[in-house]
Amino acid sequence: MSHRSSTLVISSLFMSAFLIMAFIISFIFFNHAIAAEMDGPMPPKPPLAKMSLELDVTSDQLLMCMKEGKPASPGDKPDKAAMLTCLQNANPAITQEKMDEVMKKNMPMPKGKPQQ
């Protein structure tokens, strides 16, 4: 092997090592940035099994209806009408008052926001 080809091989190895290290470092900083963005611990998840029993629907139906009423963007209010329509498709006996009662009783409130 000539001197020129061995220099090329060594240069390629150094370049590969540099790119791998750059990838690892950027991955570490990216994960750190995402973790730093989180504002405290995640809120607890609602007790779907308990809520679905109170509304007389399955947990899957309740979860699907909660997704129907999910706010379009953070800070917006949930679409209660869409959620109620979805729940009433699963159980026509559910009223707005019953849905509100179950949600208020079981949904965790974000810190700093008073219950209405």
Side-chain angles (χ1 to χ4, degrees):
M1 185 151 79
S2 74
H3 174 66
R4 185 168 209 193
S5 63
S6 63
T7 305
L8 186 60
V9 169
I10 292 172
S11 297
S12 297
L13 289 174
F14 278 120
M15 185 57 104
S16 297
F18 174 77
L19 290 175
I20 291 170
M21 289 302 295
F23 175 76
I24 291 170
I25 290 169
S26 64
F27 181 76
I28 290 169
F29 282 116
F30 179 73
N31 282 341
H32 178 70
I34 289 175
E37 272 185 30
M38 297 180 80
D39 193 27
M42 296 293 290
K45 293 186 179 184
L48 291 179
K50 181 181 176 200
M51 293 168 63
S52 63
L53 283 174
E54 292 180 31
L55 293 169
D56 196 24
V57 296
T58 67
S59 293
D60 289 338
Q61 289 169 327
L62 177 59
L63 187 59
M64 179 183 67
C65 293
M66 289 175 84
K67 287 179 183 176
E68 287 283 322
K70 186 176 179 178
S73 61
D76 289 350
K77 292 186 177 185
D79 186 351
K80 288 185 176 183
M83 188 171 168
L84 179 62
T85 301
C86 180
L87 286 169
Q88 286 175 333
N89 286 334
N91 177 1
I94 296 173
T95 63
Q96 178 74 48
E97 293 77 25
K98 181 66 175 175
M99 182 185 78
D100 289 342
E101 172 192 326
V102 170
M103 293 298 158
K104 186 175 182 179
K105 183 169 70 172
N106 294 290
M107 292 295 287
M109 290 302 296
K111 289 183 179 181
K113 289 194 176 183
Q115 284 191 338
Q116 297 174 357

